Coordinates of all heavy atoms in Angstrom, one line a residue:
M330 N 41.0 -22.0 -22.7 CA 41.0 -23.4 -22.5 C 40.9 -24.1 -23.8 O 40.1 -23.8 -24.7 CB 39.8 -23.8 -21.6 CG 39.8 -25.2 -21.2 SD 38.6 -25.4 -19.8 CE 38.3 -27.1 -20.0
N331 N 41.8 -25.2 -24.0 CA 41.8 -25.9 -25.2 C 40.6 -26.8 -25.3 O 40.1 -27.4 -24.3 CB 43.0 -26.8 -25.3 CG 44.3 -26.0 -25.5 OD1 44.2 -24.9 -26.0 ND2 45.4 -26.6 -25.2
N332 N 40.1 -27.0 -26.5 CA 39.0 -27.9 -26.7 C 39.5 -29.3 -27.0 O 40.7 -29.5 -27.2 CB 38.0 -27.4 -27.7 CG 38.6 -27.3 -29.1 OD1 39.5 -28.0 -29.5 ND2 38.2 -26.3 -29.9
L333 N 38.6 -30.2 -27.1 CA 39.0 -31.6 -27.3 C 39.8 -31.8 -28.6 O 40.8 -32.5 -28.7 CB 37.8 -32.5 -27.4 CG 38.0 -34.0 -27.6 CD1 39.0 -34.6 -26.6 CD2 36.7 -34.8 -27.7
K334 N 39.4 -31.1 -29.7 CA 40.1 -31.2 -31.0 C 41.5 -30.7 -30.9 O 42.4 -31.3 -31.4 CB 39.3 -30.4 -32.0 CG 39.9 -30.5 -33.4 CD 39.1 -29.7 -34.4 CE 39.7 -29.8 -35.8 NZ 39.0 -29.0 -36.8
D335 N 41.7 -29.6 -30.2 CA 43.1 -29.1 -30.0 C 43.9 -30.1 -29.2 O 45.1 -30.3 -29.5 CB 43.1 -27.7 -29.2 CG 42.5 -26.6 -30.1 OD1 42.5 -26.7 -31.3 OD2 42.1 -25.6 -29.5
N336 N 43.4 -30.7 -28.2 CA 44.1 -31.7 -27.4 C 44.5 -32.9 -28.3 O 45.6 -33.4 -28.2 CB 43.3 -32.1 -26.2 CG 43.2 -31.0 -25.1 OD1 44.0 -30.1 -25.1 ND2 42.1 -31.1 -24.3
L337 N 43.5 -33.3 -29.1 CA 43.8 -34.5 -29.9 C 44.9 -34.2 -31.0 O 45.7 -35.0 -31.3 CB 42.5 -35.0 -30.6 CG 41.5 -35.6 -29.7 CD1 40.2 -35.9 -30.4 CD2 42.1 -36.9 -29.0
N338 N 44.8 -33.0 -31.5 CA 45.8 -32.5 -32.5 C 47.2 -32.4 -31.8 O 48.2 -32.8 -32.5 CB 45.4 -31.2 -33.1 CG 44.4 -31.4 -34.2 OD1 44.2 -32.5 -34.8 ND2 43.6 -30.4 -34.4
E339 N 47.3 -32.0 -30.6 CA 48.6 -31.9 -29.9 C 49.1 -33.3 -29.7 O 50.3 -33.6 -29.8 CB 48.4 -31.2 -28.6 CG 49.7 -31.1 -27.8 CD 50.8 -30.4 -28.5 OE1 50.6 -29.6 -29.4 OE2 52.0 -30.5 -28.0
I340 N 48.2 -34.3 -29.3 CA 48.7 -35.6 -29.1 C 49.2 -36.2 -30.4 O 50.2 -36.9 -30.5 CB 47.5 -36.5 -28.5 CG1 47.2 -36.1 -27.1 CG2 47.8 -38.0 -28.6 CD1 45.9 -36.6 -26.6
R341 N 48.4 -36.0 -31.5 CA 48.8 -36.4 -32.8 C 50.2 -35.9 -33.2 O 51.1 -36.6 -33.7 CB 47.8 -36.0 -33.8 CG 48.1 -36.3 -35.3 CD 47.1 -35.8 -36.2 NE 45.9 -36.6 -36.0 CZ 44.7 -36.3 -36.5 NH1 44.5 -35.1 -37.1 NH2 43.7 -37.1 -36.3
R342 N 50.4 -34.6 -33.0 CA 51.7 -34.0 -33.3 C 52.9 -34.6 -32.5 O 53.9 -34.9 -33.0 CB 51.7 -32.5 -33.0 CG 52.9 -31.7 -33.5 CD 52.8 -30.3 -33.0 NE 53.0 -30.1 -31.6 CZ 54.2 -30.2 -30.9 NH1 55.3 -30.4 -31.6 NH2 54.2 -30.1 -29.6
R343 N 52.6 -34.8 -31.2 CA 53.7 -35.4 -30.4 C 54.0 -36.8 -30.7 O 55.2 -37.2 -30.7 CB 53.3 -35.3 -28.9 CG 53.3 -33.9 -28.4 CD 52.9 -33.9 -26.9 NE 52.9 -32.5 -26.5 CZ 53.3 -32.1 -25.3 NH1 53.7 -33.0 -24.4 NH2 53.2 -30.9 -24.9
I344 N 53.0 -37.6 -31.1 CA 53.3 -39.0 -31.5 C 54.0 -39.0 -32.8 O 54.9 -39.8 -33.0 CB 51.9 -39.8 -31.5 CG1 51.4 -40.0 -30.1 CG2 52.2 -41.1 -32.2 CD1 50.0 -40.6 -30.1
L345 N 53.6 -38.1 -33.7 CA 54.4 -38.1 -35.0 C 55.8 -37.7 -34.8 O 56.7 -38.3 -35.4 CB 53.7 -37.0 -35.9 CG 54.3 -36.8 -37.3 CD1 54.4 -38.1 -38.1 CD2 53.5 -35.8 -38.0
L346 N 56.1 -36.7 -33.9 CA 57.5 -36.3 -33.7 C 58.2 -37.5 -33.0 O 59.4 -37.7 -33.3 CB 57.5 -35.1 -32.8 CG 57.1 -33.8 -33.5 CD1 57.0 -32.6 -32.5 CD2 58.0 -33.5 -34.6
C347 N 57.6 -38.2 -32.1 CA 58.3 -39.4 -31.5 C 58.6 -40.4 -32.6 O 59.7 -41.0 -32.6 CB 57.4 -40.0 -30.4 SG 57.3 -39.0 -28.9
E348 N 57.7 -40.7 -33.5 CA 57.9 -41.6 -34.5 C 59.1 -41.2 -35.4 O 60.0 -42.0 -35.7 CB 56.7 -41.9 -35.4 CG 56.9 -42.8 -36.5 CD 57.3 -44.2 -36.2 OE1 57.0 -44.7 -35.1 OE2 57.9 -44.9 -37.0
A349 N 59.1 -39.9 -35.8 CA 60.2 -39.4 -36.7 C 61.5 -39.4 -36.0 O 62.5 -39.8 -36.5 CB 59.8 -38.0 -37.1
S350 N 61.5 -39.2 -34.7 CA 62.7 -39.1 -33.9 C 63.4 -40.5 -33.8 O 64.6 -40.6 -33.6 CB 62.4 -38.6 -32.5 OG 62.0 -37.3 -32.5
R351 N 62.5 -41.6 -33.9 CA 63.1 -42.9 -33.8 C 64.1 -43.2 -34.9 O 65.0 -44.0 -34.8 CB 62.0 -44.0 -34.0 CG 61.0 -44.1 -32.9 CD 60.0 -45.1 -33.2 NE 60.6 -46.4 -33.6 CZ 60.0 -47.2 -34.5 NH1 58.8 -47.0 -35.0 NH2 60.6 -48.3 -34.9
W352 N 64.0 -42.4 -36.0 CA 64.8 -42.7 -37.2 C 65.9 -41.7 -37.4 O 66.6 -41.7 -38.4 CB 63.9 -42.7 -38.4 CG 62.8 -43.7 -38.3 CD1 61.5 -43.5 -38.0 CD2 63.0 -45.1 -38.3 NE1 60.8 -44.7 -37.9 CE2 61.7 -45.7 -38.1 CE3 64.1 -46.0 -38.6 CZ2 61.5 -47.1 -38.1 CZ3 63.9 -47.4 -38.5 CH2 62.6 -47.9 -38.3
V353 N 66.2 -40.8 -36.4 CA 67.3 -39.9 -36.5 C 68.6 -40.7 -36.7 O 68.8 -41.7 -36.0 CB 67.4 -39.0 -35.2 CG1 68.7 -38.2 -35.2 CG2 66.2 -38.1 -35.2
G354 N 69.4 -40.3 -37.7 CA 70.6 -41.0 -37.9 C 70.5 -42.0 -39.1 O 71.5 -42.6 -39.5
S355 N 69.3 -42.2 -39.6 CA 69.1 -43.1 -40.7 C 69.9 -42.6 -41.9 O 69.8 -41.4 -42.2 CB 67.7 -43.3 -41.1 OG 67.0 -43.9 -40.0
V356 N 70.6 -43.4 -42.6 CA 71.4 -42.9 -43.7 C 71.2 -43.9 -45.0 O 70.8 -45.0 -44.8 CB 72.9 -42.8 -43.4 CG1 73.1 -41.8 -42.3 CG2 73.5 -44.2 -42.9
E357 N 71.6 -43.3 -46.1 CA 71.6 -44.1 -47.3 C 72.8 -45.1 -47.2 O 73.8 -44.8 -46.6 CB 71.8 -43.2 -48.5 CG 70.7 -42.2 -48.6 CD 70.9 -41.0 -49.5 OE1 72.1 -40.6 -49.6 OE2 70.0 -40.5 -50.1
E358 N 72.7 -46.2 -47.9 CA 73.8 -47.2 -47.9 C 74.1 -47.6 -49.4 O 73.2 -47.9 -50.1 CB 73.3 -48.5 -47.2 CG 73.0 -48.2 -45.7 CD 72.4 -49.4 -45.0 OE1 72.1 -50.4 -45.7 OE2 72.2 -49.4 -43.8
G359 N 75.4 -47.6 -49.7 CA 75.8 -48.1 -51.0 C 75.7 -47.0 -52.1 O 76.6 -46.9 -52.9
A360 N 74.7 -46.3 -52.2 CA 74.5 -45.3 -53.2 C 73.4 -44.3 -52.8 O 72.7 -44.6 -51.8 CB 74.1 -45.9 -54.6
D361 N 73.3 -43.2 -53.5 CA 72.3 -42.2 -53.1 C 70.9 -42.9 -53.3 O 70.6 -43.6 -54.2 CB 72.3 -41.0 -54.1 CG 73.5 -40.1 -53.9 OD1 74.1 -40.2 -52.8 OD2 73.8 -39.2 -54.7
N362 N 70.0 -42.6 -52.3 CA 68.6 -43.1 -52.3 C 68.5 -44.6 -52.2 O 67.6 -45.1 -52.8 CB 67.9 -42.5 -53.4 CG 67.9 -40.9 -53.4 OD1 67.5 -40.4 -52.4 ND2 68.3 -40.3 -54.5
H363 N 69.5 -45.2 -51.6 CA 69.5 -46.7 -51.5 C 69.8 -47.1 -50.0 O 70.3 -46.3 -49.3 CB 70.5 -47.3 -52.4 CG 70.1 -47.3 -53.8 ND1 70.2 -46.2 -54.6 CD2 69.6 -48.3 -54.6 CE1 69.8 -46.5 -55.8 NE2 69.4 -47.7 -55.9
G364 N 69.5 -48.3 -49.7 CA 69.8 -48.9 -48.4 C 68.5 -49.5 -47.8 O 67.4 -49.3 -48.3
Q365 N 68.7 -50.4 -46.8 CA 67.6 -51.1 -46.2 C 66.5 -50.2 -45.6 O 65.3 -50.4 -45.9 CB 68.1 -52.1 -45.1 CG 68.5 -53.4 -45.6 CD 68.7 -54.4 -44.5 OE1 69.3 -54.0 -43.5 NE2 68.2 -55.6 -44.6
L366 N 66.9 -49.2 -44.8 CA 65.9 -48.3 -44.2 C 65.3 -47.4 -45.3 O 64.1 -47.2 -45.3 CB 66.6 -47.5 -43.1 CG 66.9 -48.3 -41.8 CD1 67.6 -47.3 -40.8 CD2 65.7 -48.9 -41.2
V367 N 66.1 -46.9 -46.2 CA 65.6 -46.1 -47.2 C 64.6 -46.9 -48.1 O 63.5 -46.3 -48.4 CB 66.8 -45.6 -48.1 CG1 66.2 -44.9 -49.4 CG2 67.7 -44.6 -47.3
K368 N 64.9 -48.1 -48.4 CA 63.9 -49.0 -49.1 C 62.6 -49.1 -48.3 O 61.5 -49.1 -48.9 CB 64.5 -50.3 -49.4 CG 63.7 -51.2 -50.2 CD 64.4 -52.5 -50.5 CE 63.5 -53.5 -51.3 NZ 64.1 -54.7 -51.6
M369 N 62.7 -49.3 -47.0 CA 61.5 -49.4 -46.2 C 60.6 -48.2 -46.3 O 59.4 -48.3 -46.5 CB 61.9 -49.7 -44.7 CG 60.7 -49.8 -43.8 SD 61.2 -50.2 -42.1 CE 62.0 -48.6 -41.7
F370 N 61.3 -47.0 -46.2 CA 60.5 -45.7 -46.4 C 59.9 -45.6 -47.8 O 58.7 -45.3 -47.9 CB 61.4 -44.5 -46.1 CG 62.0 -44.5 -44.7 CD1 63.3 -44.1 -44.5 CD2 61.3 -45.0 -43.6 CE1 63.9 -44.1 -43.2 CE2 61.9 -45.0 -42.3 CZ 63.2 -44.5 -42.1
Q371 N 60.7 -45.9 -48.8 CA 60.2 -45.8 -50.2 C 59.1 -46.7 -50.4 O 58.1 -46.3 -51.1 CB 61.4 -46.1 -51.1 CG 62.5 -45.1 -51.1 CD 63.7 -45.6 -51.8 OE1 64.0 -46.8 -51.7 NE2 64.5 -44.7 -52.4
S372 N 59.1 -47.9 -49.9 CA 58.1 -48.9 -50.2 C 56.8 -48.6 -49.5 O 55.7 -49.1 -49.9 CB 58.6 -50.3 -49.9 OG 58.8 -50.5 -48.6
S373 N 56.8 -47.7 -48.5 CA 55.6 -47.4 -47.8 C 54.5 -46.7 -48.6 O 53.4 -46.7 -48.3 CB 55.9 -46.5 -46.5 OG 56.3 -45.2 -46.9
V374 N 55.0 -46.2 -49.8 CA 54.1 -45.5 -50.7 C 54.2 -46.0 -52.1 O 53.7 -45.4 -53.0 CB 54.3 -43.9 -50.7 CG1 53.3 -43.2 -51.5 CG2 54.4 -43.4 -49.3
G375 N 54.9 -47.1 -52.3 CA 55.1 -47.6 -53.6 C 56.3 -47.1 -54.4 O 56.4 -47.2 -55.6
G376 N 57.2 -46.4 -53.6 CA 58.4 -46.0 -54.3 C 59.4 -47.1 -54.6 O 59.1 -48.3 -54.1
K377 N 60.4 -46.8 -55.3 CA 61.4 -47.9 -55.7 C 62.8 -47.4 -55.3 O 63.0 -46.2 -55.2 CB 61.2 -48.3 -57.1 CG 61.4 -47.2 -58.1 CD 61.1 -47.6 -59.5 CE 61.3 -46.6 -60.5 NZ 60.7 -45.3 -60.4
P378 N 63.7 -48.3 -55.2 CA 65.1 -47.9 -54.9 C 65.6 -46.9 -55.9 O 65.3 -47.0 -57.1 CB 65.9 -49.2 -55.0 CG 64.9 -50.3 -54.7 CD 63.6 -49.8 -55.2
G379 N 66.2 -45.9 -55.4 CA 66.7 -44.8 -56.3 C 65.8 -43.6 -56.3 O 66.3 -42.5 -56.6
D380 N 64.5 -43.8 -55.9 CA 63.7 -42.6 -55.7 C 64.1 -41.8 -54.6 O 64.6 -42.3 -53.5 CB 62.2 -43.0 -55.5 CG 61.5 -43.7 -56.7 OD1 62.0 -43.5 -57.8 OD2 60.5 -44.3 -56.5
K381 N 64.0 -40.5 -54.7 CA 64.3 -39.6 -53.5 C 63.4 -40.0 -52.4 O 62.2 -40.2 -52.6 CB 64.2 -38.2 -53.9 CG 65.2 -37.7 -54.9 CD 65.1 -36.2 -55.2 CE 66.0 -35.8 -56.3 NZ 67.4 -36.0 -56.1
W382 N 63.9 -40.1 -51.2 CA 63.2 -40.8 -50.1 C 62.7 -39.8 -49.0 O 62.0 -40.3 -48.1 CB 64.0 -41.9 -49.5 CG 65.3 -41.5 -48.9 CD1 66.5 -41.3 -49.6 CD2 65.6 -41.4 -47.5 NE1 67.5 -41.0 -48.7 CE2 67.0 -41.0 -47.4 CE3 64.8 -41.5 -46.3 CZ2 67.6 -40.8 -46.2 CZ3 65.5 -41.3 -45.1 CH2 66.8 -40.9 -45.1
C383 N 63.0 -38.6 -49.0 CA 62.6 -37.7 -47.9 C 61.1 -37.6 -47.7 O 60.6 -37.7 -46.6 CB 63.2 -36.3 -48.1 SG 62.9 -35.5 -49.7
A384 N 60.3 -37.4 -48.8 CA 58.8 -37.4 -48.6 C 58.3 -38.8 -48.3 O 57.3 -38.9 -47.5 CB 58.2 -36.9 -49.9
F385 N 58.9 -39.8 -48.8 CA 58.5 -41.2 -48.4 C 58.7 -41.4 -46.9 O 57.9 -42.1 -46.2 CB 59.3 -42.3 -49.2 CG 59.0 -42.3 -50.6 CD1 60.0 -42.1 -51.6 CD2 57.7 -42.4 -51.1 CE1 59.7 -42.1 -52.9 CE2 57.4 -42.4 -52.5 CZ 58.4 -42.2 -53.4
F386 N 59.8 -40.8 -46.3 CA 60.0 -40.9 -44.9 C 58.9 -40.3 -44.1 O 58.4 -40.8 -43.1 CB 61.4 -40.3 -44.6 CG 61.6 -40.0 -43.1 CD1 61.9 -41.1 -42.3 CD2 61.4 -38.8 -42.6 CE1 62.1 -40.9 -40.9 CE2 61.6 -38.6 -41.2 CZ 61.9 -39.6 -40.4
V387 N 58.5 -39.1 -44.5 CA 57.4 -38.4 -43.9 C 56.1 -39.2 -43.9 O 55.4 -39.4 -42.9 CB 57.2 -37.0 -44.5 CG1 55.9 -36.4 -43.9 CG2 58.4 -36.1 -44.3
H388 N 55.8 -39.8 -45.1 CA 54.6 -40.6 -45.2 C 54.7 -41.8 -44.3 O 53.7 -42.2 -43.6 CB 54.4 -41.1 -46.6 CG 53.2 -41.9 -46.8 ND1 53.1 -43.2 -46.6 CD2 51.9 -41.5 -47.1 CE1 51.9 -43.6 -46.8 NE2 51.1 -42.6 -47.1
Y389 N 55.9 -42.5 -44.2 CA 56.1 -43.7 -43.4 C 55.8 -43.3 -41.9 O 55.1 -44.0 -41.2 CB 57.5 -44.2 -43.5 CG 57.8 -45.3 -42.6 CD1 57.6 -46.6 -43.1 CD2 58.3 -45.2 -41.4 CE1 57.9 -47.7 -42.3 CE2 58.6 -46.2 -40.6 CZ 58.4 -47.5 -41.0 OH 58.6 -48.6 -40.2
C390 N 56.3 -42.2 -41.5 CA 56.1 -41.7 -40.1 C 54.7 -41.4 -39.8 O 54.1 -41.8 -38.8 CB 57.0 -40.5 -39.8 SG 58.8 -40.9 -39.7
L391 N 54.0 -40.7 -40.8 CA 52.6 -40.4 -40.6 C 51.8 -41.7 -40.5 O 50.9 -41.8 -39.6 CB 52.1 -39.6 -41.8 CG 52.5 -38.1 -41.8 CD1 52.3 -37.5 -43.2 CD2 51.8 -37.4 -40.8
K392 N 52.1 -42.7 -41.3 CA 51.3 -43.9 -41.4 C 51.5 -44.7 -40.0 O 50.5 -45.1 -39.4 CB 51.8 -44.8 -42.5 CG 51.0 -46.0 -42.8 CD 51.3 -46.6 -44.1 CE 52.4 -47.7 -44.0 NZ 52.6 -48.3 -45.3
H393 N 52.7 -44.7 -39.5 CA 52.9 -45.4 -38.3 C 52.4 -44.7 -37.1 O 51.9 -45.3 -36.1 CB 54.4 -45.8 -38.2 CG 54.8 -46.9 -39.1 ND1 54.7 -48.3 -38.7 CD2 55.1 -46.9 -40.4 CE1 55.0 -49.0 -39.7 NE2 55.3 -48.3 -40.8
A394 N 52.5 -43.4 -37.1 CA 52.0 -42.6 -36.0 C 50.5 -42.7 -36.0 O 49.8 -42.8 -34.9 CB 52.4 -41.1 -36.1
D395 N 49.9 -42.7 -37.2 CA 48.4 -42.8 -37.3 C 48.0 -44.1 -36.7 O 46.9 -44.2 -36.0 CB 48.0 -42.8 -38.8 CG 46.6 -42.7 -39.0 OD1 45.9 -41.9 -38.4 OD2 46.1 -43.5 -39.8
R396 N 48.7 -45.2 -36.9 CA 48.3 -46.5 -36.2 C 48.4 -46.4 -34.7 O 47.6 -47.0 -34.0 CB 49.2 -47.6 -36.7 CG 49.0 -48.0 -38.2 CD 49.9 -49.0 -38.6 NE 49.8 -49.3 -40.0 CZ 50.7 -50.0 -40.7 NH1 51.8 -50.4 -40.2 NH2 50.4 -50.2 -42.0
L397 N 49.3 -45.6 -34.2 CA 49.5 -45.6 -32.7 C 48.3 -44.9 -32.1 O 47.9 -45.3 -31.0 CB 50.7 -44.8 -32.4 CG 52.0 -45.5 -32.7 CD1 53.2 -44.6 -32.4 CD2 52.2 -46.8 -31.9
F398 N 47.7 -43.9 -32.6 CA 46.6 -43.2 -32.0 C 45.3 -43.3 -32.7 O 44.3 -42.7 -32.4 CB 46.9 -41.7 -31.7 CG 47.3 -40.9 -32.9 CD1 46.4 -40.4 -33.8 CD2 48.7 -40.6 -33.1 CE1 46.8 -39.7 -34.8 CE2 49.0 -39.9 -34.1 CZ 48.1 -39.4 -35.0
N399 N 45.3 -44.2 -33.7 CA 44.1 -44.6 -34.4 C 43.3 -43.4 -35.0 O 42.1 -43.4 -35.0 CB 43.2 -45.5 -33.5 CG 42.2 -46.3 -34.3 OD1 42.4 -46.6 -35.5 ND2 41.1 -46.7 -33.7
A400 N 44.0 -42.4 -35.4 CA 43.4 -41.3 -36.0 C 43.3 -41.5 -37.5 O 44.1 -42.3 -38.1 CB 44.1 -40.0 -35.7
V401 N 42.4 -40.8 -38.2 CA 42.3 -41.0 -39.6 C 42.7 -39.6 -40.3 O 42.0 -38.7 -40.1 CB 40.9 -41.4 -40.0 CG1 40.8 -41.5 -41.5 CG2 40.5 -42.7 -39.4
F402 N 43.9 -39.6 -40.9 CA 44.2 -38.5 -41.7 C 45.1 -39.0 -42.8 O 45.8 -39.9 -42.7 CB 44.9 -37.4 -40.9 CG 46.2 -37.7 -40.3 CD1 47.4 -37.2 -40.9 CD2 46.3 -38.5 -39.2 CE1 48.6 -37.5 -40.3 CE2 47.6 -38.8 -38.6 CZ 48.7 -38.3 -39.2
E403 N 45.0 -38.3 -44.0 CA 45.7 -38.8 -45.2 C 46.6 -37.6 -45.6 O 46.2 -36.5 -45.7 CB 44.7 -39.1 -46.3 CG 45.3 -39.7 -47.5 CD 45.6 -41.2 -47.3 OE1 44.9 -41.9 -46.5 OE2 46.5 -41.7 -47.9
L404 N 47.9 -37.9 -45.8 CA 48.8 -36.9 -46.3 C 49.7 -37.6 -47.4 O 50.2 -38.6 -47.2 CB 49.7 -36.4 -45.2 CG 50.5 -35.1 -45.5 CD1 49.6 -33.9 -45.7 CD2 51.5 -34.9 -44.5
R405 N 49.7 -37.0 -48.6 CA 50.5 -37.5 -49.7 C 51.9 -37.1 -49.5 O 52.2 -36.0 -48.9 CB 49.9 -37.0 -51.0 CG 48.4 -37.3 -51.2 CD 47.8 -36.5 -52.3 NE 47.9 -35.1 -51.9 CZ 47.6 -34.1 -52.7 NH1 47.2 -34.3 -53.9 NH2 47.7 -32.9 -52.2
P406 N 52.9 -37.8 -50.1 CA 54.3 -37.5 -50.0 C 54.5 -36.1 -50.5 O 55.4 -35.4 -49.9 CB 55.0 -38.5 -50.9 CG 54.1 -39.7 -51.0 CD 52.7 -39.1 -50.8
E407 N 53.9 -35.6 -51.5 CA 54.1 -34.3 -52.0 C 53.6 -33.2 -51.1 O 53.9 -32.0 -51.3 CB 53.5 -34.1 -53.4 CG 52.0 -34.3 -53.5 CD 51.6 -35.7 -53.9 OE1 52.4 -36.6 -53.6 OE2 50.5 -35.9 -54.3
D408 N 52.9 -33.6 -50.0 CA 52.4 -32.6 -49.0 C 53.3 -32.5 -47.8 O 52.9 -31.9 -46.8 CB 51.0 -32.9 -48.6 CG 50.0 -32.7 -49.7 OD1 50.2 -31.9 -50.6 OD2 48.9 -33.4 -49.7
S409 N 54.5 -33.1 -47.8 CA 55.3 -33.2 -46.6 C 55.6 -31.8 -46.1 O 55.8 -31.6 -44.9 CB 56.6 -34.0 -46.9 OG 57.3 -33.3 -47.9
H410 N 55.6 -30.8 -47.0 CA 55.9 -29.4 -46.5 C 54.9 -28.9 -45.5 O 55.1 -28.0 -44.7 CB 56.1 -28.5 -47.7 CG 54.8 -28.2 -48.4 ND1 54.2 -29.1 -49.2 CD2 53.9 -27.2 -48.3 CE1 53.0 -28.7 -49.7 NE2 52.8 -27.5 -49.1
L411 N 53.7 -29.5 -45.5 CA 52.7 -29.1 -44.6 C 53.0 -29.6 -43.1 O 52.6 -28.9 -42.2 CB 51.3 -29.7 -45.0 CG 50.8 -29.2 -46.4 CD1 49.6 -30.0 -46.7 CD2 50.6 -27.8 -46.4
V412 N 53.7 -30.6 -43.0 CA 54.1 -31.2 -41.7 C 55.4 -30.6 -41.2 O 55.6 -30.2 -40.1 CB 54.3 -32.7 -41.8 CG1 54.7 -33.3 -40.4 CG2 52.9 -33.3 -42.2
W413 N 56.4 -30.4 -42.1 CA 57.7 -29.9 -41.8 C 57.9 -28.6 -42.6 O 58.8 -28.6 -43.5 CB 58.8 -30.9 -42.1 CG 58.5 -32.3 -41.6 CD1 58.5 -33.4 -42.4 CD2 58.3 -32.7 -40.3 NE1 58.2 -34.5 -41.6 CE2 58.1 -34.1 -40.3 CE3 58.2 -32.1 -39.1 CZ2 57.9 -34.9 -39.2 CZ3 57.9 -32.8 -37.9 CH2 57.8 -34.2 -38.0
P414 N 57.2 -27.6 -42.3 CA 57.4 -26.4 -43.2 C 58.8 -25.8 -43.2 O 59.2 -25.2 -44.2 CB 56.4 -25.4 -42.6 CG 56.1 -25.9 -41.2 CD 56.3 -27.4 -41.2
S415 N 59.6 -26.0 -42.2 CA 60.9 -25.5 -42.2 C 61.9 -26.4 -42.8 O 63.1 -26.1 -42.9 CB 61.4 -25.1 -40.7 OG 61.5 -26.3 -40.0
G416 N 61.5 -27.6 -43.2 CA 62.4 -28.6 -43.8 C 63.1 -29.4 -42.8 O 64.0 -30.2 -43.1
R417 N 62.8 -29.2 -41.5 CA 63.5 -30.0 -40.4 C 62.6 -30.2 -39.2 O 61.6 -29.5 -39.1 CB 64.8 -29.3 -40.0 CG 64.5 -28.0 -39.4 CD 65.8 -27.2 -39.1 NE 65.5 -25.9 -38.8 CZ 65.5 -25.4 -37.5 NH1 65.8 -26.2 -36.5 NH2 65.2 -24.1 -37.3
I418 N 62.9 -31.2 -38.5 CA 62.1 -31.5 -37.2 C 62.6 -30.5 -36.2 O 63.8 -30.4 -36.0 CB 62.3 -32.9 -36.8 CG1 61.8 -33.9 -37.9 CG2 61.6 -33.2 -35.5 CD1 62.2 -35.3 -37.6
S419 N 61.7 -29.9 -35.5 CA 62.1 -29.0 -34.4 C 61.2 -29.1 -33.2 O 60.1 -29.6 -33.3 CB 62.2 -27.5 -34.9 OG 61.1 -27.1 -35.5

């Protein structure tokens, strides 16, 4: 039987996946690492246009998912491999 912590972690994971799924199909515009959505992801952690945005995207999703279930966890952009170890959402 799962304990409360396991249940909360499963909820957290599902909300995070839902948040990330909202952005499937987001693309760069005009040049590599540029565009309105890319800029939104980059600015979530203080990035600037032209910065590689994949880790900024993960942070953006974590931040917004965190607000949805009011959990407190901190993950830095360089730690994105901890969330997506295979490099893709599955």
Side-chain angles (χ1 to χ4, degrees):
M330 185 167 159
N331 288 338
N332 62 32
L333 178 60
K334 183 178 178 182
D335 290 340
N336 290 337
L337 291 174
N338 284 333
E339 178 62 17
I340 292 167
R341 176 181 288 164
R342 186 187 71 79
R343 287 178 185 220
I344 291 173
L345 178 57
L346 288 174
C347 287
E348 176 61 27
S350 296
R351 290 180 49 211
W352 303 105
V353 169
S355 297
V356 296
E357 300 163 330
E358 298 170 355
D361 287 347
N362 302 309
H363 286 80
Q365 272 190 316
L366 289 176
V367 171
K368 183 178 179 180
M369 180 179 68
F370 301 139
Q371 291 163 330
S372 66
S373 71
V374 186
K377 58 188 183 304
D380 289 345
K381 295 187 185 296
W382 60 281
C383 51
F385 294 122
F386 167 75
V387 172
H388 183 273
Y389 178 90
C390 291
L391 285 165
K392 188 165 94 175
H393 286 270
D395 187 48
R396 288 180 185 163
L397 290 174
F398 54 81
N399 199 23
V401 178
F402 66 105
E403 189 77 27
L404 192 69
R405 301 166 298 170
E407 59 268 23
D408 292 333
S409 63
H410 68 283
L411 300 172
V412 177
W413 314 123
S415 66
R417 62 189 171 99
I418 300 171
S419 53

